Amino acid sequence: MTSLHAATVTLGLLAQPSRFLFFTGKGGVGKTSLSTAAAIALADAGRKVLLVSTDAASNLDEMLGVPLSNQAVAVPGVPGLHMLNIDPDTAAEAYRQRVLAQLESTATADERSTVREQLSGACTTEIAAFDEFAALLANEGSVSGQGFDHVVFDTAPTGHTLRLLSLPKAWTGFLAGNDRGASCLGPHSGLKMQEERFNAALAALSDPALTTVVLVTRPDPRPMQEAARTAQELRALGLANQRLVINGVFHASQPGRDAVADAIEALGREALASIPDTLAALPRDEVPLRAFDTVGLPALRGLLGGGVASTSAASSPSSALPDHPLQAAPLAAMVDALAAKGHGLIMVMGKGGVGKTTIAAALAVGLVQRGHAVHLTTTDPAAHVQGQLDGSLPGLKVGRIDPRAETSAYIDKIMTTRGKALDDAGRALLLEDLQSPCTEEVAVFHAFSRVVNEARSAFVVLDTAPTGHSLLLMDATGAYHRQMTQQYDGSANAKHIITPLMRLQDADMTHVVIVTLPEVTPVSQAAALQDDLRRAHIEPWAWVINKSVAATGTSDPLLQARLVGERQQAARIANGLAQRTYVLPWLPTPPVGVAALGALVAPDVVLG
């Protein structure tokens, strides 16, 4: 077995790695790239490694050129490395089969059908995915006998990951007070038999000798602040063994010669100088910004300083750049087109970290500039909308679908309606069921439905959670639609049923805006999101290319090398992916505050 110190590795966290390594952080900071590069480095040093994605929007398949699977598969070119994707749909079906197998042999076909329908929603999907995750931590399941030295988790963006990592504690607490076992039907009906597994998972997460949480950030105040909050929340959950990786640290190639490069370096330097105390106290690694996209084994090895990718890509001549302007209009033109609609739901969607909150806030401010009343709200657990606005504007209402508040209100409503006619024992059982973590998914869906309905007569701009989390919400919307149509099928009221999904499918009412960065991975994930939406018969209205360096006119050699890939992705979007394309250049000063956002979308604005 090769010593990791002998390998070309820059991450101190790999010097004495624990068995479980969780890479987490705000979307777009490079969790997938770094977790994959770390897994490769461990395998190159002779360790047997399992790389696991818990992100419903994972792009590990594109990075490694290996199809995603819910079974561990070997990665060609990296002896000792296997990868596995916790696929929610596959896990949910396996979970349903396990629950159905518990039914008495005398159960009728109708009874089995009823149970299957109860297990068709997003809550079941979450439980099933968590069950797979817990099996890995508890050293159970199909991969337990394969003797992996390390399990590296590439997690979903922060808000979703915090929920995932809190579930062992939530479910062990829920099950500790539930002695009814599998007698209760519904999504959690098969969980009692898993109680030992969940306890083992919680123990593994809390053991610093077994588990390390790697907080990934960029040299930027906002992801650093989110990483600091995450560190505190995870510590409260018992995950105290933490490390920090700052990814994409940039140094201008020719200081003083390029204003854009100097500004990017200055922003990073300021962010590092004001790092939150919570993060400053952690062991820290820094990874420089590379001139290449981290797709393929050479690039992933090059990310941590190994191989040749780190030098070959940087030497790309500027003459290789496609010499044509971006085929995209400014955001102001987008607001003009939306304002002409008069009302509707504008859903801003995309991978974490691409700038959805900035775009959503700018669109809302632009619509108010043009005389419309707007409700700007968010489904993102991280909820940065108010911080992005940093102020108020007449005609702009700002809200948030707060999972905790919505869950509390939903429980109160159920207890005062359904529980009204129950005796004390019945109310106690009902309240016990409502304490299940599943209830949050239901409550958030109901809040989302109210927002959708509001857009019938006004503008609602919805800043959605990162892709994977939003797709779970779409699943809940679809499950509700199926339930309603089946319930009223054949009745006189069937033609009058209008579900939230039907409103999302209405192109006159709902306008989905997909935001991406001009890089291969975000664009591929945006395309996959678009495919998922189309399967639900929801057609995206436009794409936004955010933080375009090509639109700034930089001459810095490293940034110029990155522009080759950026313009390729812009052409890919324009030539078939998007019906309409808009662009926002990389800006030296982040657009925080009503005035700055308004400047992005003012009529006839010219940026870059």
Short mmCIF file of all heavy atoms in Angstrom, two decimals, residues 214-269:
data_model
loop_
_atom_site.label_atom_id
_atom_site.label_comp_id
_atom_site.label_asym_id
_atom_site.label_seq_id
_atom_site.Cartn_x
_atom_site.Cartn_y
_atom_site.Cartn_z
N VAL A 214 -16.11 17.24 5.82
CA VAL A 214 -15.25 18.18 5.09
C VAL A 214 -16.14 19.31 4.57
O VAL A 214 -16.96 19.11 3.67
CB VAL A 214 -14.53 17.47 3.92
CG1 VAL A 214 -13.58 18.46 3.22
CG2 VAL A 214 -13.76 16.25 4.42
N LEU A 215 -16.00 20.48 5.15
CA LEU A 215 -16.77 21.65 4.73
C LEU A 215 -16.04 22.31 3.57
O LEU A 215 -14.91 22.77 3.72
CB LEU A 215 -16.90 22.63 5.90
CG LEU A 215 -17.68 22.09 7.11
CD1 LEU A 215 -17.27 22.83 8.37
CD2 LEU A 215 -19.16 22.22 6.87
N VAL A 216 -16.70 22.32 2.41
CA VAL A 216 -16.08 22.90 1.21
C VAL A 216 -16.67 24.29 0.97
O VAL A 216 -17.89 24.48 1.07
CB VAL A 216 -16.34 22.00 -0.03
CG1 VAL A 216 -15.64 22.59 -1.26
CG2 VAL A 216 -15.84 20.58 0.24
N THR A 217 -15.82 25.24 0.68
CA THR A 217 -16.27 26.58 0.36
C THR A 217 -15.37 27.18 -0.71
O THR A 217 -14.38 26.57 -1.10
CB THR A 217 -16.28 27.48 1.62
OG1 THR A 217 -16.84 28.75 1.30
CG2 THR A 217 -14.87 27.67 2.16
N ARG A 218 -15.74 28.34 -1.17
CA ARG A 218 -14.88 29.12 -2.06
C ARG A 218 -14.47 30.38 -1.33
O ARG A 218 -15.09 30.75 -0.32
CB ARG A 218 -15.63 29.45 -3.36
CG ARG A 218 -15.76 28.25 -4.30
CD ARG A 218 -16.24 28.66 -5.68
NE ARG A 218 -16.34 27.51 -6.56
CZ ARG A 218 -15.35 27.07 -7.34
NH1 ARG A 218 -14.18 27.68 -7.33
NH2 ARG A 218 -15.52 26.03 -8.13
N PRO A 219 -13.45 31.09 -1.81
CA PRO A 219 -13.04 32.33 -1.14
C PRO A 219 -14.03 33.45 -1.44
O PRO A 219 -13.74 34.39 -2.17
CB PRO A 219 -11.65 32.60 -1.74
CG PRO A 219 -11.67 31.94 -3.08
CD PRO A 219 -12.53 30.72 -2.91
N ASP A 220 -15.22 33.30 -0.87
CA ASP A 220 -16.33 34.22 -1.12
C ASP A 220 -17.15 34.29 0.17
O ASP A 220 -17.43 33.26 0.78
CB ASP A 220 -17.18 33.68 -2.28
CG ASP A 220 -18.34 34.59 -2.62
OD1 ASP A 220 -19.33 34.57 -1.86
OD2 ASP A 220 -18.28 35.29 -3.64
N PRO A 221 -17.52 35.49 0.61
CA PRO A 221 -18.19 35.63 1.92
C PRO A 221 -19.44 34.77 2.08
O PRO A 221 -19.64 34.17 3.13
CB PRO A 221 -18.52 37.12 1.99
CG PRO A 221 -17.51 37.78 1.11
CD PRO A 221 -17.27 36.81 -0.01
N ARG A 222 -20.29 34.69 1.05
CA ARG A 222 -21.56 33.99 1.23
C ARG A 222 -21.39 32.50 1.45
O ARG A 222 -21.94 31.96 2.42
CB ARG A 222 -22.50 34.28 0.06
CG ARG A 222 -23.86 33.62 0.21
CD ARG A 222 -24.93 34.37 -0.53
NE ARG A 222 -25.17 35.67 0.05
CZ ARG A 222 -25.94 36.61 -0.51
NH1 ARG A 222 -26.50 36.37 -1.66
NH2 ARG A 222 -26.12 37.76 0.07
N PRO A 223 -20.67 31.78 0.59
CA PRO A 223 -20.49 30.35 0.90
C PRO A 223 -19.72 30.12 2.19
O PRO A 223 -19.94 29.11 2.87
CB PRO A 223 -19.73 29.81 -0.31
CG PRO A 223 -19.29 30.97 -1.10
CD PRO A 223 -20.16 32.11 -0.75
N MET A 224 -18.84 31.06 2.56
CA MET A 224 -18.13 30.91 3.83
C MET A 224 -19.09 31.04 5.01
O MET A 224 -19.01 30.29 5.98
CB MET A 224 -17.02 31.96 3.95
CG MET A 224 -15.78 31.62 3.14
SD MET A 224 -14.46 32.82 3.44
CE MET A 224 -13.07 31.99 2.64
N GLN A 225 -20.01 32.00 4.92
CA GLN A 225 -20.99 32.17 5.99
C GLN A 225 -21.88 30.93 6.10
O GLN A 225 -22.20 30.48 7.20
CB GLN A 225 -21.83 33.42 5.73
CG GLN A 225 -21.06 34.72 5.90
CD GLN A 225 -21.76 35.90 5.23
OE1 GLN A 225 -22.86 35.77 4.69
NE2 GLN A 225 -21.09 37.05 5.22
N GLU A 226 -22.26 30.37 4.95
CA GLU A 226 -23.08 29.16 4.98
C GLU A 226 -22.30 27.99 5.56
O GLU A 226 -22.84 27.18 6.32
CB GLU A 226 -23.60 28.83 3.58
CG GLU A 226 -24.53 27.64 3.59
CD GLU A 226 -25.41 27.58 2.35
OE1 GLU A 226 -25.85 28.65 1.88
OE2 GLU A 226 -25.66 26.48 1.87
N ALA A 227 -21.02 27.89 5.21
CA ALA A 227 -20.19 26.82 5.76
C ALA A 227 -20.08 26.96 7.28
O ALA A 227 -20.09 25.95 8.01
CB ALA A 227 -18.80 26.84 5.12
N ALA A 228 -19.98 28.20 7.76
CA ALA A 228 -19.88 28.42 9.21
C ALA A 228 -21.17 27.99 9.91
O ALA A 228 -21.14 27.35 10.97
CB ALA A 228 -19.58 29.89 9.49
N ARG A 229 -22.31 28.35 9.32
CA ARG A 229 -23.59 27.92 9.90
C ARG A 229 -23.71 26.40 9.88
O ARG A 229 -24.18 25.78 10.84
CB ARG A 229 -24.76 28.54 9.13
CG ARG A 229 -25.00 30.01 9.43
CD ARG A 229 -26.35 30.45 8.87
NE ARG A 229 -26.39 30.34 7.43
CZ ARG A 229 -26.03 31.31 6.59
NH1 ARG A 229 -25.58 32.45 7.07
NH2 ARG A 229 -26.11 31.15 5.29
N THR A 230 -23.29 25.80 8.78
CA THR A 230 -23.34 24.34 8.67
C THR A 230 -22.48 23.68 9.74
O THR A 230 -22.88 22.69 10.36
CB THR A 230 -22.87 23.90 7.27
OG1 THR A 230 -23.68 24.52 6.28
CG2 THR A 230 -22.96 22.38 7.12
N ALA A 231 -21.28 24.23 9.95
CA ALA A 231 -20.38 23.69 10.97
C ALA A 231 -21.04 23.68 12.33
O ALA A 231 -20.96 22.69 13.08
CB ALA A 231 -19.08 24.51 11.01
N GLN A 232 -21.73 24.77 12.66
CA GLN A 232 -22.39 24.86 13.96
C GLN A 232 -23.56 23.88 14.06
O GLN A 232 -23.73 23.21 15.09
CB GLN A 232 -22.87 26.30 14.19
CG GLN A 232 -21.72 27.29 14.34
CD GLN A 232 -22.20 28.74 14.34
OE1 GLN A 232 -23.22 29.07 13.75
NE2 GLN A 232 -21.43 29.60 14.99
N GLU A 233 -24.36 23.78 12.99
CA GLU A 233 -25.51 22.88 13.03
C GLU A 233 -25.08 21.42 13.10
O GLU A 233 -25.69 20.61 13.80
CB GLU A 233 -26.40 23.13 11.82
CG GLU A 233 -27.09 24.50 11.85
CD GLU A 233 -28.17 24.62 10.80
OE1 GLU A 233 -28.96 23.67 10.63
OE2 GLU A 233 -28.24 25.67 10.14
N LEU A 234 -24.03 21.08 12.37
CA LEU A 234 -23.55 19.70 12.40
C LEU A 234 -22.94 19.37 13.76
O LEU A 234 -23.08 18.25 14.27
CB LEU A 234 -22.52 19.47 11.30
CG LEU A 234 -23.07 19.47 9.87
CD1 LEU A 234 -21.95 19.32 8.86
CD2 LEU A 234 -24.10 18.36 9.68
N ARG A 235 -22.27 20.34 14.36
CA ARG A 235 -21.72 20.12 15.70
C ARG A 235 -22.85 19.85 16.69
O ARG A 235 -22.73 19.01 17.58
CB ARG A 235 -20.89 21.33 16.13
CG ARG A 235 -20.02 21.07 17.37
CD ARG A 235 -19.02 22.18 17.61
NE ARG A 235 -17.93 22.11 16.63
CZ ARG A 235 -17.67 23.07 15.75
NH1 ARG A 235 -18.41 24.16 15.70
NH2 ARG A 235 -16.66 22.94 14.91
N ALA A 236 -23.98 20.58 16.53
CA ALA A 236 -25.13 20.36 17.40
C ALA A 236 -25.72 18.97 17.21
O ALA A 236 -26.33 18.41 18.13
CB ALA A 236 -26.19 21.43 17.14
N LEU A 237 -25.54 18.40 16.01
CA LEU A 237 -26.03 17.05 15.74
C LEU A 237 -25.05 15.97 16.22
O LEU A 237 -25.33 14.78 16.10
CB LEU A 237 -26.27 16.87 14.23
CG LEU A 237 -27.44 17.65 13.63
CD1 LEU A 237 -27.41 17.55 12.11
CD2 LEU A 237 -28.77 17.16 14.17
N GLY A 238 -23.89 16.41 16.72
CA GLY A 238 -22.90 15.46 17.21
C GLY A 238 -21.77 15.16 16.25
O GLY A 238 -20.92 14.32 16.53
N LEU A 239 -21.72 15.86 15.11
CA LEU A 239 -20.65 15.65 14.13
C LEU A 239 -19.59 16.73 14.33
O LEU A 239 -19.59 17.78 13.69
CB LEU A 239 -21.21 15.71 12.69
CG LEU A 239 -21.94 14.47 12.20
CD1 LEU A 239 -23.32 14.36 12.85
CD2 LEU A 239 -22.12 14.50 10.69
N ALA A 240 -18.67 16.47 15.25
CA ALA A 240 -17.72 17.49 15.67
C ALA A 240 -16.38 17.41 14.96
O ALA A 240 -15.59 18.36 15.01
CB ALA A 240 -17.50 17.40 17.18
N ASN A 241 -16.08 16.28 14.30
CA ASN A 241 -14.80 16.14 13.62
C ASN A 241 -14.89 16.76 12.23
O ASN A 241 -15.35 16.13 11.29
CB ASN A 241 -14.41 14.66 13.52
CG ASN A 241 -13.01 14.48 12.93
OD1 ASN A 241 -12.22 15.42 12.91
ND2 ASN A 241 -12.73 13.29 12.44
N GLN A 242 -14.47 18.03 12.11
CA GLN A 242 -14.67 18.80 10.88
C GLN A 242 -13.34 19.36 10.37
O GLN A 242 -12.44 19.65 11.13
CB GLN A 242 -15.63 19.96 11.15
CG GLN A 242 -16.99 19.53 11.67
CD GLN A 242 -17.87 20.72 12.04
OE1 GLN A 242 -17.47 21.87 11.91
NE2 GLN A 242 -19.07 20.43 12.52
N ARG A 243 -13.28 19.50 9.05
CA ARG A 243 -12.16 20.15 8.38
C ARG A 243 -12.72 21.11 7.33
O ARG A 243 -13.86 20.99 6.90
CB ARG A 243 -11.24 19.13 7.69
CG ARG A 243 -10.50 18.20 8.62
CD ARG A 243 -9.49 17.38 7.83
NE ARG A 243 -8.49 18.22 7.23
CZ ARG A 243 -7.26 18.43 7.74
NH1 ARG A 243 -6.90 17.82 8.84
NH2 ARG A 243 -6.40 19.21 7.13
N LEU A 244 -11.89 22.05 6.90
CA LEU A 244 -12.29 23.06 5.92
C LEU A 244 -11.42 22.95 4.67
O LEU A 244 -10.19 22.81 4.78
CB LEU A 244 -12.15 24.46 6.52
CG LEU A 244 -12.47 25.65 5.60
CD1 LEU A 244 -13.96 25.67 5.26
CD2 LEU A 244 -12.05 26.96 6.26
N VAL A 245 -12.04 23.00 3.50
CA VAL A 245 -11.31 23.10 2.24
C VAL A 245 -11.82 24.33 1.50
O VAL A 245 -13.01 24.46 1.25
CB VAL A 245 -11.49 21.85 1.35
CG1 VAL A 245 -10.77 22.05 0.01
CG2 VAL A 245 -10.96 20.60 2.03
N ILE A 246 -10.91 25.24 1.16
CA ILE A 246 -11.26 26.42 0.38
C ILE A 246 -10.84 26.14 -1.06
O ILE A 246 -9.66 26.01 -1.36
CB ILE A 246 -10.57 27.68 0.92
CG1 ILE A 246 -11.00 27.90 2.38
CG2 ILE A 246 -10.94 28.89 0.08
CD1 ILE A 246 -10.30 29.06 3.05
N ASN A 247 -11.82 26.04 -1.94
CA ASN A 247 -11.59 25.65 -3.32
C ASN A 247 -11.58 26.86 -4.24
O ASN A 247 -12.30 27.84 -4.00
CB ASN A 247 -12.69 24.67 -3.75
CG ASN A 247 -12.44 24.08 -5.11
OD1 ASN A 247 -11.29 23.85 -5.51
ND2 ASN A 247 -13.51 23.81 -5.86
N GLY A 248 -10.79 26.81 -5.30
CA GLY A 248 -10.81 27.85 -6.32
C GLY A 248 -10.12 29.14 -5.91
O GLY A 248 -10.55 30.23 -6.29
N VAL A 249 -9.04 29.04 -5.13
CA VAL A 249 -8.29 30.24 -4.73
C VAL A 249 -7.54 30.76 -5.96
O VAL A 249 -6.75 30.04 -6.57
CB VAL A 249 -7.31 29.92 -3.58
CG1 VAL A 249 -6.50 31.16 -3.22
CG2 VAL A 249 -8.08 29.40 -2.37
N PHE A 250 -7.79 32.03 -6.31
CA PHE A 250 -7.26 32.58 -7.57
C PHE A 250 -6.20 33.64 -7.31
O PHE A 250 -6.34 34.49 -6.43
CB PHE A 250 -8.41 33.21 -8.38
CG PHE A 250 -7.95 33.94 -9.63
CD1 PHE A 250 -7.50 33.23 -10.74
CD2 PHE A 250 -7.94 35.33 -9.67
CE1 PHE A 250 -7.08 33.90 -11.88
CE2 PHE A 250 -7.53 36.00 -10.81
CZ PHE A 250 -7.09 35.28 -11.92
N HIS A 251 -5.13 33.59 -8.12
CA HIS A 251 -4.10 34.63 -8.12
C HIS A 251 -3.92 35.10 -9.56
O HIS A 251 -3.77 34.29 -10.48
CB HIS A 251 -2.78 34.08 -7.58
CG HIS A 251 -2.87 33.63 -6.14
ND1 HIS A 251 -2.96 34.51 -5.09
CD2 HIS A 251 -2.91 32.39 -5.60
CE1 HIS A 251 -3.04 33.84 -3.96
NE2 HIS A 251 -3.00 32.54 -4.24
N ALA A 252 -4.00 36.40 -9.75
CA ALA A 252 -3.85 36.97 -11.09
C ALA A 252 -2.51 36.55 -11.70
O ALA A 252 -1.47 36.58 -11.03
CB ALA A 252 -3.95 38.49 -11.03
N SER A 253 -2.53 36.17 -12.96
CA SER A 253 -1.29 35.74 -13.64
C SER A 253 -0.33 36.90 -13.84
O SER A 253 0.89 36.74 -13.76
CB SER A 253 -1.63 35.11 -15.00
OG SER A 253 -2.56 34.06 -14.86
N GLN A 254 -0.87 38.09 -14.09
CA GLN A 254 -0.06 39.29 -14.33
C GLN A 254 -0.64 40.44 -13.53
O GLN A 254 -1.40 41.27 -14.05
CB GLN A 254 -0.05 39.62 -15.83
CG GLN A 254 0.52 38.50 -16.70
CD GLN A 254 0.27 38.74 -18.18
OE1 GLN A 254 -0.72 39.34 -18.58
NE2 GLN A 254 1.20 38.26 -19.00
N PRO A 255 -0.34 40.49 -12.23
CA PRO A 255 -0.94 41.51 -11.35
C PRO A 255 -0.78 42.92 -11.92
O PRO A 255 0.27 43.30 -12.42
CB PRO A 255 -0.15 41.36 -10.05
CG PRO A 255 0.33 39.94 -10.06
CD PRO A 255 0.62 39.63 -11.50
N GLY A 256 -1.87 43.68 -11.87
CA GLY A 256 -1.83 45.07 -12.33
C GLY A 256 -2.11 45.25 -13.80
O GLY A 256 -2.26 46.39 -14.26
N ARG A 257 -2.22 44.16 -14.57
CA ARG A 257 -2.42 44.29 -16.01
C ARG A 257 -3.85 43.99 -16.47
O ARG A 257 -4.18 44.28 -17.61
CB ARG A 257 -1.46 43.34 -16.76
CG ARG A 257 0.01 43.71 -16.58
CD ARG A 257 0.86 42.87 -17.52
NE ARG A 257 2.28 43.18 -17.37
CZ ARG A 257 3.25 42.65 -18.12
NH1 ARG A 257 2.91 41.77 -19.08
NH2 ARG A 257 4.51 42.96 -17.92
N ASP A 258 -4.65 43.37 -15.61
CA ASP A 258 -6.00 43.01 -16.01
C ASP A 258 -6.94 43.33 -14.84
O ASP A 258 -6.85 42.71 -13.78
CB ASP A 258 -6.08 41.53 -16.37
CG ASP A 258 -7.46 41.14 -16.90
OD1 ASP A 258 -7.67 41.25 -18.11
OD2 ASP A 258 -8.31 40.73 -16.09
N ALA A 259 -7.84 44.27 -15.05
CA ALA A 259 -8.71 44.73 -13.96
C ALA A 259 -9.62 43.62 -13.45
O ALA A 259 -9.88 43.53 -12.24
CB ALA A 259 -9.54 45.92 -14.45
N VAL A 260 -10.11 42.77 -14.36
CA VAL A 260 -11.00 41.69 -13.94
C VAL A 260 -10.26 40.69 -13.05
O VAL A 260 -10.73 40.31 -11.98
CB VAL A 260 -11.60 40.98 -15.17
CG1 VAL A 260 -12.40 39.75 -14.74
CG2 VAL A 260 -12.49 41.94 -15.96
N ALA A 261 -9.07 40.26 -13.49
CA ALA A 261 -8.29 39.31 -12.71
C ALA A 261 -7.90 39.90 -11.36
O ALA A 261 -7.98 39.22 -10.33
CB ALA A 261 -7.03 38.90 -13.49
N ASP A 262 -7.51 41.17 -11.36
CA ASP A 262 -7.14 41.82 -10.09
C ASP A 262 -8.34 41.87 -9.15
O ASP A 262 -8.20 41.67 -7.93
CB ASP A 262 -6.62 43.23 -10.34
CG ASP A 262 -5.23 43.23 -11.01
OD1 ASP A 262 -4.57 42.18 -10.96
OD2 ASP A 262 -4.84 44.28 -11.55
N ALA A 263 -9.52 42.15 -9.70
CA ALA A 263 -10.72 42.24 -8.87
C ALA A 263 -11.10 40.88 -8.29
O ALA A 263 -11.47 40.78 -7.11
CB ALA A 263 -11.89 42.79 -9.68
N ILE A 264 -10.98 39.82 -9.10
CA ILE A 264 -11.30 38.48 -8.60
C ILE A 264 -10.34 38.10 -7.47
O ILE A 264 -10.76 37.58 -6.43
CB ILE A 264 -11.22 37.45 -9.75
CG1 ILE A 264 -12.33 37.70 -10.77
CG2 ILE A 264 -11.32 36.02 -9.20
CD1 ILE A 264 -12.26 36.80 -11.99
N GLU A 265 -9.05 38.37 -7.66
CA GLU A 265 -8.07 38.05 -6.62
C GLU A 265 -8.34 38.86 -5.35
O GLU A 265 -8.27 38.33 -4.24
CB GLU A 265 -6.65 38.31 -7.11
CG GLU A 265 -5.60 37.98 -6.06
CD GLU A 265 -4.17 38.15 -6.54
OE1 GLU A 265 -3.97 38.38 -7.75
OE2 GLU A 265 -3.26 38.07 -5.71
N ALA A 266 -8.65 40.15 -5.52
CA ALA A 266 -8.90 41.01 -4.36
C ALA A 266 -10.10 40.52 -3.55
O ALA A 266 -10.06 40.51 -2.31
CB ALA A 266 -9.11 42.45 -4.81
N LEU A 267 -11.17 40.12 -4.25
CA LEU A 267 -12.34 39.62 -3.55
C LEU A 267 -12.02 38.36 -2.74
O LEU A 267 -12.46 38.21 -1.60
CB LEU A 267 -13.46 39.32 -4.55
CG LEU A 267 -14.17 40.54 -5.15
CD1 LEU A 267 -15.13 40.09 -6.25
CD2 LEU A 267 -14.93 41.31 -4.08
N GLY A 268 -11.25 37.48 -3.34
CA GLY A 268 -10.85 36.27 -2.63
C GLY A 268 -9.98 36.56 -1.43
O GLY A 268 -10.13 35.97 -0.35
N ARG A 269 -9.06 37.50 -1.60
CA ARG A 269 -8.15 37.87 -0.52
C ARG A 269 -8.93 38.47 0.66
O ARG A 269 -8.68 38.18 1.82
CB ARG A 269 -7.10 38.85 -1.04
CG ARG A 269 -5.93 39.09 -0.09
CD ARG A 269 -4.76 39.76 -0.80
NE ARG A 269 -5.17 40.97 -1.49
CZ ARG A 269 -5.12 41.13 -2.81
NH1 ARG A 269 -4.67 40.13 -3.58
NH2 ARG A 269 -5.48 42.27 -3.38
#
